[in-house]
Every structure is written in C-alpha cells, then in structure tokens.
Amino acid sequence: MVDRTVADVVVERLLAWRVPRAFGYPGEAIAPLVDALDRTGGEPAFIPARHEETASFMAAGHAKFTGGIGVCLATQGPSAVQLLNGLYDAKLDSKPVVAIVGEDISGPLGGAHQEIGLSRLFADVCNQFVRYGRRPEEVGALLDQAFRTAAATRSPTCVVLPRQLQEALVPDPQTYGAGVITATPGEPLARVLPHEADLDAAAQLLSGGQRTAILVGQGGRDAAAEIIEMADRLGAGVATSLLGKPVLDERLPFHTGVLGEVGTPAAAELMGGCDTLLMVGTNDPWTDYFPMPEQARTVQIDIDGRRIGTRYPADVPLVGDAAETLRALLSRVHGRPEQQWRATVESSVDRWREVAAERVAATADPVNPQLVLQELSARMPGAGAVAVDVGSVLYWYARHLTLPPGVNAQLCGTLGSMGCALPYAVAAKLAAPDQPVVALVGDGAMQLNGLAELITVSHLWQGWRDPRLVVLVLNNRDQNGMGGGRQPSSDPTHRRPDVPYAGWARLLGLHGVRVDRPELVGAAWDEALAADRPCVLEAVVDPAVSLAPPEPAFADLRGLYAEGAAARKVREQVEVTIAADDLV
C-alpha cells in the first residue's frame, strides 16, 4: 500500500466533495498541501492568486457563480488575516466557502513567528466553526464536517492544519481503533416547504391585496417562471435587489428595475404605492426604499428563517425553497389582476426608461459612463457571466445594463468591498472556460488589486476554450471613490493617478483598447468582444456625471392611495412632479 500523507487525504476529500480547484497564495505552512495538489495533475487544481485577499474573493466568486463550495488556502499570521474580506463577502451573501489554513507550530509556545489567534480571528466570519487538525486519522472526517457545515449553513468554515500534520503519514484505517469519527461526503440539502396553514394564510393575504409589489433577491434564482406567473395573477409590479437583478428578464413591462440608492425611481415608486408586498429570497439592505411602516401587509419567502423580518415586518413568514413555495402558493392564490395598478406600474417603468435614455445621451467630458454600459447592453453575449465591482460602476450597472436572460451576474452585494470583480471574473472563467465573461471595474478597484490580478489572467487564459474575458475599466481619475456629480478637483492630491490600463494589458500579452470619444464606444466594445485573448477596455469617463439616487417616491400617498377622483388627481400631480425632477 502506497504511503498517504494527511495532505493527500485533504486532496481526496476535495475530490469527494467535487471541488474542482482551490485558490490561494503559497507559503511554507501550506506547502505540503500545495505539493499534493500539484501531484494530482490538475484535479483538483491549485490556482495561485497574487494576494490572499483576491484568493478568498475567487473562492467566494466560485461559490456564487457555480452554486458549489469555494475553497481558499493560506498560511498563518498576515496571510490568514488577508482572507477575511472574501470570507465576510461569502458570509454576508450566504455562500459556502471552506478556508484551509496552514500553521507552523515548530517554535516555542507563544513565540512562533507570525503567530496569531486563529480561533478568535475566524470565529465571527466562520460562525464559530474553526477546527484544528490534531491527529492524522481525524483529518478526513474533520474536512467532511467543514464542508457539510458550509453547505448546510451557506456560510464559511475554517480548518487549521499544522504543517507537521500535513506531512504526517495516515495509518491504515483498520488500525484506527475505537472512538475515531468517520464521515461521508456530499449529502444533498433537504427539500424545504412551509406548513400548509402558513401557505393558506399567505395565499389569503396575497389574494386580498389591491396594489401588490414583488421584491426579488438572489434567492429567487431558478424561480423566474413562478415569479412571473404570480405577478400576472396578482397584477403586481416587480423590483429586484442588486443580487436579484439577473433573476428576471428586465425587459418585462412591469419590471421596475433595481431597488435602492443605486436603483431606479420606478422601483421606489412601486414600493411607495403598494399595499401588499411579497418578498422572495431577499435580504436587501436599502430599507429607506421599502414601504412605510404599516403601509403594506407582507409575505416573505426565504430558505433561511433567520433572515425573515430583519428588513421589513413579515405578516406571514414562509421558510422554504423559493420555486416550490411559489408553486404551492399559486395553487391557492385566486387570480384577480388589478389592471389599474398594473397600468400605473407600467407607466412608471416607461417614464423611467425615457429618463434613462436622456441621461445616457447627455453630453459629458470626455465620455458619459452611462453610455458605456448602455452600449454593452446591445452587445452583451447571450450566455456567460458578469462580475461587478463596487463604486460608481455599480450604479451604471444597476440602471443601464440590461442582462440577457440566463446571464449570471455577481457582485459583493452586502459587504460592498472594492476589488471583488476581477477575482470573481477569474473564478467564473475557470468554472466555464467556454463562455465569455465581462468584469465591470472602476479605476480605484483596478489600482487596488486588478492590475496585479491581470497577471493571473495572463498566466491562465491560453487554456480557455473561449478566450474572451473583457475587463471594463471606467477611468474617471476620481480619488474620492464614487464620482457622481462632484466637479473634479484641481488639487492633484485629490485626483487618482492616471494609469495606462489598456497599455498594461498589452504589456502582459493581452489585448487593450482605450476609448475617450463617445462616438467610438460601440466600436470599442465590438473590438474587445471580438479579441482572440482577454482584453482590457479602458473608457475615459467624466467623474462629474451625477449618480442621482432616486428619492423614496409617493411619500405623500403611502397609506392614502385610494381610487377616488380626488386621490387620482393627487397621484397624477405627484407623478408629474417626479417626472420633472428626474429630467433635471
């Protein structure tokens, strides 16, 4: 029998849990595991990032784009600390990630080089699941427990493996003796449905609504057909969270767009006028844009009962899978489409689309960033993925990029950390190398870590069947981070250094396109999407273009939205005022 080390056992467990790759930054304390991964010939593969933080974002991105479990590797000390950003991203967006941290404990107790308290460091982000490997015969079961917990709780977990343990030989299983824990990998999650009485109560509430709004989050994935059928049956309008943007076809006439500060006035108006709210798989933090307290009666569906009622009071909480719960509701809800309410919603959507077109066409110096995203909408491939960073690019994505149905888009939705998009894009491309990927990045995020991770792209891309990975960099030179209406400062300390992003890509053997004229934006996208290798599209844009967050709308009508002649007159006056404000 060939001698097996603990590192070999870890690799076996990764394979058993169908983990295709682990992201990390190599170091002495994790070297035995990296060597074991290298010996496999690529299954699972070790993907070295340029930094531990981006490795953790890659692991979170893998979980987001694939629905699987992400894995990241690091060593003790500062290397472990730098995993936290990606792990918190996974925690707050409910994605399973397993962090495996190597530790060198050869020094004296309390005096080892780079020693920090890993249990305390990871306790919060890993929901108290931080386990240390102690004996070779226990490591397999320990890894299984970490993976099972991550999958069941949709959150990160951490396993710490001393280097000496990774190198230790694993005894024959028959010699383990009594009391050794054994485990098997990969149990499917249970089917979850609410109780019949709760479904009946929810159906009664929804059937009695006059002006229904449906707010859809990432938990609505795979439930698009049921959501649309429910909206049609109730005559409802639909809005989404940022994470829920890819769930539905945004061209639907009653789809008001993204809710919140980065979103649309139409979505704010929907929330302001509704008397009934159905929340599907969302934990959207933009509570300022929710209905006023006691304005709307609410049904909330979520697979995680801990999230119900945390953003808005839920009259009927339904813990269950979105698609199956909606199907159970549809068999109970009596169709009574409110045509007048639906017509009001669709008018609001039409008005917003007109305003959006005017904003895109507005003159800017040199290029309007909204135009850049609008031009991508007409060219976005019908399959593939979009990774979105934090900053002003998030506003333009939310409002002006229409995603084709089936395109997977991901972002750091709850943590809101810059520097996530390019690591996400690498993870998405590795998961589906035959599909195009677009990363939407600001110049701040690009300087934060994107320039370095382009090295990773240059190292990997020749193994991709479809080489298209387009990195849009909105170069607005705005040191303050968000742009959005402020006049650029003449003080050089307030201006971000101008970097030749497209030129840097070309130095790495990638393609690079720079555009600073609005009439050439479409052609620049065509060139980038037709390139025979990954491409950086650098768009030099105006930092003074206003972000224009929508106001929570219809505030005067919340709770007073009646169908009498006087109320209709007031509503029409408010609609005219809102439309005029949007044109400013």
Side-chain angles (χ1 to χ4, degrees):
M1 180 176 180
V2 178
D3 289 338
R4 296 160 62 240
T5 67
V6 167
D8 294 321
V9 170
V10 174
V11 171
E12 292 171 7
R13 303 327 289 163
L14 296 183
L15 281 171
W17 283 91
R18 297 182 295 279
V19 174
R21 61 196 60 88
F23 305 93
Y25 191 88
E28 286 298 318
I30 202 71
L33 177 53
V34 172
D35 290 342
L37 287 167
D38 288 342
R39 289 195 297 271
T40 67
E43 293 184 11
F46 173 65
I47 305 298
R50 311 278 72 78
H51 194 278
E52 293 89 350
E53 181 184 68
T54 51
S56 66
F57 274 131
M58 289 175 188
H62 174 86
K64 291 183 178 188
F65 278 107
T66 69
I69 301 174
V71 174
C72 53
L73 311 179
T75 63
Q76 67 195 56
S79 180
V81 171
Q82 288 157 0
L83 291 179
L84 290 179
N85 221 15
L87 294 180
Y88 270 109
D89 174 27
K91 176 183 179 178
L92 297 183
D93 282 354
S94 300
K95 301 301 176 186
V97 172
V98 175
I100 303 176
V101 179
E103 185 178 51
D104 189 343
I105 56 174
S106 59
L109 183 64
H113 185 53
Q114 297 185 323
E115 182 178 358
I116 62 174
L118 295 177
S119 293
R120 288 191 176 185
L121 178 71
F122 290 110
D124 177 63
V125 69
C126 292
N127 294 318
Q128 306 299 322
F129 190 99
V130 185
R131 301 288 188 271
Y132 280 74
R134 300 300 185 192
R135 295 189 296 169
E137 60 270 24
E138 296 175 340
V139 170
L142 179 61
L143 263 293
D144 290 339
Q145 186 181 6
F147 276 93
R148 185 172 293 106
T149 301
T153 62
R154 297 171 176 84
S155 65
T157 60
C158 177
V159 174
V160 181
L161 297 177
R163 178 188 171 109
Q164 292 85 342
L165 180 63
Q166 297 172 49
E167 296 172 324
L169 295 178
V170 179
D172 187 316
Q174 295 179 356
T175 66
Y176 281 9
V180 175
I181 301 172
T182 59
T184 54
E187 297 164 352
L189 296 178
R191 177 190 183 202
V192 182
L193 273 173
H195 292 292
E196 297 291 320
D198 295 327
L199 290 167
D200 291 339
Q204 183 177 5
L205 188 156
L206 294 171
S207 298
Q210 300 296 314
R211 301 178 304 280
T212 301
I214 301 177
L215 179 60
V216 180
Q218 63 172 335
R221 291 178 186 270
D222 302 321
E226 291 81 3
I227 293 168
I228 293 171
E229 184 177 351
M230 182 65 76
D232 285 338
R233 187 167 299 185
L234 298 174
V238 173
T240 72
S241 69
L242 263 173
L243 291 172
K245 179 178 167 75
V247 172
L248 301 177
D249 186 346
E250 295 181 285
R251 296 168 296 183
L252 292 167
F254 52 87
H255 193 317
T256 63
V258 172
L259 181 69
E261 183 178 313
V262 302
T264 73
E269 292 167 15
L270 175 70
M271 292 295 122
C274 72
D275 66 3
T276 307
L277 176 62
L278 171 60
M279 299 171 65
V280 181
T282 179
N283 194 37
D284 197 322
W286 299 110
T287 54
D288 288 351
Y289 291 84
F290 278 49
M292 294 287 283
E294 301 183 1
Q295 172 193 325
R297 299 187 68 200
T298 302
V299 173
Q300 184 173 358
I301 302 170
D302 205 291
I303 190 65
D304 187 345
R306 296 171 298 180
R307 298 188 183 277
I308 292 180
T310 59
R311 304 299 188 188
Y312 193 80
D315 295 280
V316 182
L318 298 178
V319 178
D321 300 299
E324 292 208 53
T325 300
L326 285 167
R327 284 195 289 270
L329 281 176
L330 283 166
S331 67
R332 293 167 163 83
V333 169
H334 304 298
R336 190 176 63 179
E338 294 295 336
Q339 298 300 331
Q340 187 169 2
W341 170 243
R342 174 62 76 84
T344 300
V345 172
E346 293 183 0
S347 295
S348 178
V349 172
D350 291 341
R351 186 166 59 250
W352 156 243
R353 289 174 179 170
E354 292 172 1
V355 171
E358 292 175 0
R359 292 181 181 178
V360 166
T363 302
D365 181 21
V367 175
N368 186 335
Q370 299 167 111
L371 172 67
V372 179
L373 273 296
Q374 181 65 46
E375 289 289 344
L376 174 59
S377 287
R379 296 167 172 82
M380 187 68 208
V386 177
V388 190
D389 222 298
V390 173
S392 59
V393 68
L394 194 59
Y395 288 71
W396 315 137
Y397 158 78
R399 299 171 186 165
H400 299 292
L401 179 59
T402 301
L403 296 171
V407 169
N408 194 352
Q410 296 291 346
L411 50 94
C412 187
T414 310
L415 181 63
S417 176
M418 285 177 60
C420 61
L422 196 45
Y424 280 7
V426 170
K429 193 65 183 179
L430 290 171
D434 58 341
Q435 295 184 352
V437 175
V438 176
L440 308 177
V441 186
D443 53 355
M446 202 63 186
Q447 292 187 23
L448 186 69
N449 60 30
L451 292 172
E453 287 308 323
L454 279 181
I455 299 172
T456 305
V457 174
S458 70
H459 176 67
L460 296 171
W461 75 269
Q462 294 189 39
W464 298 338
R465 289 189 292 276
D466 182 334
R468 289 178 295 172
L469 191 164
V470 179
V471 182
L472 169 68
V473 181
L474 292 182
N475 184 3
N476 67 10
R477 295 87 60 208
D478 178 29
Q479 184 65 41
N480 292 312
M482 294 296 284
R486 296 185 303 272
Q487 290 299 319
S489 172
S490 59
D491 185 347
T493 63
H494 293 163
R495 300 278 286 168
R496 180 173 287 117
D498 198 2
V499 173
Y501 303 99
W504 171 240
R506 289 191 290 270
L507 284 174
L508 293 174
L510 309 177
H511 196 62
V513 181
R514 188 176 189 269
V515 61
D516 57 6
R517 293 167 55 187
E519 67 271 19
L520 297 180
V521 170
W525 273 117
D526 290 335
E527 180 179 346
L529 289 166
D532 64 351
R533 62 196 60 208
C535 176
V536 170
L537 171 54
E538 177 188 351
V540 184
V541 297
D542 190 345
V545 174
S546 175
L547 298 178
E551 292 293 331
F554 284 145
D556 294 339
L557 298 182
R558 291 178 175 179
L560 301 175
Y561 197 112
E563 295 306 327
R568 284 198 301 272
K569 183 176 180 181
V570 172
R571 185 178 75 244
E572 291 166 0
Q573 291 172 345
V574 172
E575 290 176 349
V576 169
T577 301
I578 292 171
D581 288 344
D582 284 339
L583 294 175
V584 175

